[in-house]
Amino acid sequence: MGTRIPEETIERIQKSNDILEIVGEYVQLKKQGRNYFGLCPFHDEKSPSFSVSAEKQIYRCFGCGKGGNVISFLMEIEGFSFIETIKNLADRTNIELPQLPSSPQNDHATKEKEIMKEGHELLARLYHHCLTNTEYGQKAKEYLYNRGFTDEMIDHFQIGFAPESWDFATSFLQKRNFTLQTMEEAGILAKREFDRKFYDRFRSRIMFPIWDTQGKNIAFGGRIMGDGEPKYLNSPETRIFHKSKTLYGYHMARPDMRKDDKAILFEGYVDVIAAWKAGITNAVATLGTSLTQDQAKLLSRNVNTVVICYDSDQAGINAAFRATEHIEKMDCNVRIAQMPPGLDPDDYIQNYGGERFKQDVLGASLTVMAFKMQFMRRGKNLQDEGERMRYIEEILHEIAKLPKAVERDHYLRQLAEEFNLSLDALKQQQYQAFVNQKRNKDNVGRNRENNPKKFIGQSTRLLPAFHNAERILLAHMLKDVSIAEKVEELLGGAFNIDEYSAIAAYLYAYYAEGHTPDISLFLERVDDQRLKQVVTELAMLTINEDISDQELYDYVHQIQKYPKLLKIQEKEKDKNRAEREQDMVEAARIAMEIVNLKKALKSQ
């Protein structure tokens, strides 16, 4: 696929995109020594094992073994094809690509996705124009003004209006040569059952564009004016839109989320827009569904604290309760902002203003445990002894889950004071709850998602001398052409480990073409994904800056010695076999061969 774009163009694109900047959009990185570390975006973990080298422009996870350069990172995390990745990186740095010829299957699928996004983008502009500049949208604009929306809000979020028509969007797209079948698959149009004709999915609705993490329009949310059902209508799941993986406003909020190290999580896009008006620019929203683990992961890549601000009704409280579990799994701090009864965040901001919302709602947010204590006492008559005891047992069960002793002590004392109970008795019962939870967890099974299987190349045992020698030599060869040339002369491809022999062959060819050491560029020459991971592992090894000729010869000697040691071991087995069969002449002959092999080994 990459052969259609000149190699020098790919190299220029690669060198123009700093891997720290790209990875930093998805992972919170902190410098430790020469490299940067964070939680791996490819598997669940609680201790950072994901490393990025700014110097070498590569990444590697020491937990799951994933590794590569900026191109492979984007391909892995976004599911992009090679061409999509190169286009994405080229767009970031304003590098023009040559016109690429069309090709079957993968390129066709990529092209269709681009067409789907293009259709959404054009339609978003049309809907926005209808709202702001035509009679079609006059009533919708008045409705928005009455709800507190301003022209600035409407423009910033590209809010639009879909007229009451069955073919407004259909005709618009058809005139611009969009395939209507593709637009239906994109969720923009629908198809009638009885005559199979296409029609507009969104009609007489205020339209809210929905974007992916890169800010590309991939779906719509439509709010009906007046009565009618459903009140909000989102695009269906498509090849470019996955509701469970998308957060409304994410690409706009991400810079301020990262700056504040905090995200505000709402239930709907209108709440995000109202919050933006109030000066809250680090807010995102789910799209009419409960928060998913994928969405929680998206948040955890950017912030350490998430404030959940859902509606005050029972459904909103239940959703907040579930959301805390997903976010806490990602090792984030969670707080819950409580709305007064009967108000959602948008209503509150309209009625009381943004400053009061920031101070009295967000500023008064509760810890998860405090929220649970309020949540669990709902519907209980705590004057009744039986219900009071049930409530205390439920709270003790939750306190037992808290990881910090100070937190546990704080809430146990609070419980003891409120119900005039013995602190020692509560501590004893809480400890029993902890023991029961641990026993139940152990019974479920020891294999957890956040304890990933070790990468094949990973090992805590000491490596044999030849294996260690091959790793260190290759690590130096990746950094220095002259060392690679010496090793090629002394050893060629005679590495004992197949993967290392293949990497050496790639490296000899890479340097023979006149390239200088560049791990990131070299990785693009390695076709095999498994070998790419091994290369990144070797490149991340901590080695001395220089290697003397004597050290180099010693490593080569260790590598060359290993096959001879294997041969001696085989001869030892043959000798033992001959002795068991009482063939003493053959045993003596083999013993002499072993003596000669050992002499030859020592004389090297």
Side-chain angles (χ1 to χ4, degrees):
M1 225 187 243
T3 55
R4 296 196 201 100
I5 304 173
E7 284 186 12
E8 57 269 24
T9 304
I10 293 174
E11 288 184 13
R12 189 156 67 94
I13 290 168
Q14 219 173 315
K15 287 181 175 178
S16 300
N17 284 275
D18 183 6
I19 195 168
L20 271 183
E21 187 178 326
I22 303 298
V23 173
E25 294 179 7
Y26 302 87
V27 182
Q28 279 193 298
L29 296 170
K30 292 181 180 176
K31 191 168 187 182
Q32 293 179 22
R34 298 175 69 173
N35 294 337
Y36 292 77
F37 285 82
L39 295 174
C40 179
F42 304 121
H43 78 276
D44 292 339
E45 63 177 7
K46 293 197 172 181
S47 298
S49 63
F50 183 83
S51 174
V52 181
S53 168
E55 177 190 351
K56 298 167 184 171
Q57 288 293 297
I58 59 173
Y59 69 93
R60 173 170 164 73
C61 176
F62 296 96
C64 66
K66 299 267 185 178
N69 57 15
V70 68
I71 294 174
S72 55
F73 179 82
L74 270 183
M75 289 177 72
E76 183 79 31
I77 202 161
E78 290 288 357
F80 289 160
S81 67
F82 179 80
I83 293 294
E84 284 178 309
T85 304
I86 293 300
K87 284 182 177 177
N88 182 287
L89 293 172
D91 287 344
R92 289 168 181 263
T93 49
N94 297 317
I95 295 175
E96 284 192 23
L97 290 174
Q99 189 66 37
L100 301 174
S102 59
S103 69
Q105 295 181 337
N106 286 341
D107 280 2
H108 177 71
T110 299
K111 185 66 176 172
E112 280 210 326
K113 286 181 181 179
E114 289 177 359
I115 290 169
M116 288 177 177
K117 291 177 184 178
E118 188 181 338
H120 275 92
E121 191 63 40
L122 284 174
L123 213 49
R125 287 186 212 157
L126 178 65
Y127 288 148
H128 184 65
H129 175 77
C130 283
L131 176 70
T132 55
N133 296 303
T134 72
E135 291 182 8
Y136 291 124
Q138 195 58 40
K139 285 186 179 179
K141 190 156 59 169
E142 288 172 7
Y143 171 84
L144 289 171
Y145 286 161
N146 290 334
R147 288 290 305 270
F149 283 71
T150 64
D151 289 335
E152 188 182 9
M153 293 161 72
I154 290 168
D155 289 341
H156 186 77
F157 290 93
Q158 294 181 284
I159 301 168
F161 178 70
E164 178 59 64
S165 169
W166 293 89
D167 64 354
F168 179 77
T170 307
S171 299
F172 173 80
L173 293 167
Q174 198 165 25
K175 285 176 183 175
R176 281 153 183 78
N177 299 318
F178 284 89
T179 306
L180 298 187
Q181 179 64 40
T182 303
M183 294 298 97
E184 187 218 359
E185 291 171 10
I188 292 171
L189 307 179
K191 190 188 287 185
R192 290 198 295 248
E193 288 293 330
F194 67 91
D195 63 0
R196 311 302 292 163
K197 284 190 175 179
F198 296 100
Y199 65 92
D200 293 10
R201 181 180 294 277
F202 298 97
R203 302 177 305 282
S204 192
R205 286 182 180 270
I206 295 170
M207 301 297 289
F208 298 86
I210 296 168
W211 305 273
D212 64 13
T213 56
Q214 302 302 316
K216 301 290 186 183
N217 195 175
I218 54 171
F220 287 107
R223 193 201 192 285
I224 201 163
M225 290 177 57
D227 299 327
E229 291 295 332
K231 182 179 175 183
Y232 286 98
L233 176 67
N234 284 333
S235 295
E237 292 275 316
T238 67
R239 276 179 279 166
I240 60 172
F241 174 52
H242 304 286
K243 193 184 295 185
S244 65
K245 297 181 179 180
T246 306
L247 288 168
Y248 179 77
Y250 173 81
H251 75 289
M252 289 188 278
R254 179 164 54 192
D256 288 308
M257 282 165 50
R258 295 173 73 85
K259 180 182 172 185
D260 299 342
D261 198 22
K262 181 192 292 182
I264 313 299
L265 179 65
F266 293 114
E267 281 187 285
Y269 28 77
V270 173
D271 296 329
V272 172
I273 296 168
W276 182 83
K277 179 187 177 184
I280 300 163
T281 53
N282 59 334
V284 294
T286 54
L287 297 166
T289 57
S290 297
L291 186 80
T292 66
Q293 200 62 55
D294 284 328
Q295 290 168 329
K297 189 180 288 187
L298 202 56
L299 290 169
S300 71
R301 289 175 188 163
N302 295 275
V303 299
N304 282 315
T305 300
V306 178
V307 180
I308 300 171
C309 188
Y310 284 1
D311 292 353
S312 58
D313 58 14
Q314 192 61 43
I317 292 166
N318 291 339
F321 194 68
R322 291 191 299 271
T324 61
E325 294 178 355
H326 284 308
I327 298 169
E328 284 187 318
K329 279 182 186 174
M330 305 312 302
D331 207 28
C332 276
N333 300 318
V334 187
R335 298 188 69 87
I336 294 91
Q338 293 187 297
M339 298 300 307
L343 291 178
D344 60 27
D346 175 39
D347 294 329
Y348 190 99
I349 291 169
Q350 301 312 322
N351 291 334
Y352 301 108
E355 285 306 313
R356 190 163 163 187
F357 178 77
K358 283 189 265 189
Q359 182 178 330
D360 295 351
V361 177
L362 298 182
S365 59
L366 301 173
T367 64
V368 174
M369 193 62 227
F371 172 71
K372 286 179 178 178
M373 291 174 84
Q374 283 197 15
F375 178 86
M376 287 176 172
R377 68 171 62 215
R378 286 176 182 248
K380 289 188 179 72
N381 176 14
L382 296 184
Q383 300 305 311
D384 179 83
E385 185 179 351
E387 292 199 34
R388 186 167 65 249
M389 294 308 295
R390 184 158 59 89
Y391 167 74
I392 291 169
E393 285 180 12
E394 287 175 356
I395 294 301
L396 287 172
H397 182 80
E398 293 301 322
I399 291 174
K401 295 177 183 176
L402 295 173
K404 295 178 182 175
V406 173
E407 282 185 283
R408 293 195 297 272
D409 185 74
H410 172 78
Y411 291 111
L412 285 171
R413 289 179 186 278
Q414 196 171 310
L415 209 57
E417 288 174 15
E418 182 179 0
F419 295 105
N420 196 26
L421 295 168
S422 160
L423 182 60
D424 288 339
L426 287 175
K427 284 183 176 180
Q428 188 175 345
Q429 194 162 336
Q430 176 262 312
Y431 179 73
Q432 188 58 50
F434 168 77
V435 170
N436 291 337
Q437 287 170 16
K438 190 173 186 304
R439 187 183 298 124
N440 292 336
K441 191 181 287 187
D442 290 342
N443 288 339
V444 169
R446 300 182 184 279
N447 294 328
R448 296 278 185 260
E449 278 188 2
N450 59 356
N451 291 325
K453 291 180 181 176
K454 284 188 180 288
F455 171 53
I456 294 170
Q458 222 176 345
S459 177
T460 54
R461 64 182 174 81
L462 288 173
L463 296 172
F466 83 90
H467 191 158
N468 199 45
E470 293 186 3
R471 284 162 59 84
I472 293 172
L473 268 190
L474 280 169
H476 279 289
M477 289 162 66
L478 287 165
K479 292 173 60 179
D480 192 320
V481 179
S482 63
I483 292 174
E485 288 172 346
K486 286 179 186 176
V487 173
E488 184 177 13
E489 183 182 334
L490 294 168
L491 194 63
F495 287 79
N496 296 291
I497 294 170
D498 290 342
E499 287 100 330
Y500 295 168
S501 180
I503 290 167
Y506 274 113
L507 202 51
Y508 298 150
Y510 175 76
Y511 287 143
E513 291 172 12
H515 293 288
T516 56
D518 188 319
I519 306 297
S520 183
L521 290 180
F522 173 64
L523 281 168
E524 284 312 300
R525 300 303 184 90
V526 180
D527 298 324
D528 186 89
Q529 191 58 40
R530 156 72 182 158
L531 289 182
K532 283 188 177 186
Q533 293 187 9
V534 177
V535 170
T536 54
E537 180 192 4
L538 295 170
M540 288 291 199
L541 285 178
T542 303
I543 56 173
N544 295 328
E545 284 297 316
D546 300 311
I547 181 172
S548 67
D549 286 345
Q550 186 57 54
E551 283 179 285
L552 189 147
Y553 293 138
D554 287 345
Y555 286 134
V556 169
H557 175 62
Q558 287 289 349
I559 294 167
Q560 291 174 330
K561 188 168 76 170
Y562 180 66
K564 295 171 183 177
L565 290 172
L566 285 181
K567 190 172 182 181
I568 290 170
Q569 288 174 7
E570 286 299 317
K571 290 292 181 183
E572 294 278 9
K573 289 177 184 176
D574 292 342
K575 175 175 162 289
N576 292 337
R577 191 181 306 113
E579 288 173 346
R580 283 196 303 271
E581 294 172 356
Q582 301 296 311
D583 189 346
M584 305 315 292
V585 175
E586 179 64 12
R589 187 188 67 76
I590 296 172
M592 186 55 67
E593 283 187 33
I594 292 170
V595 169
N596 292 333
L597 284 170
K598 287 182 176 179
K599 281 182 180 177
L601 202 57
K602 284 182 181 179
S603 65
Q604 276 193 334

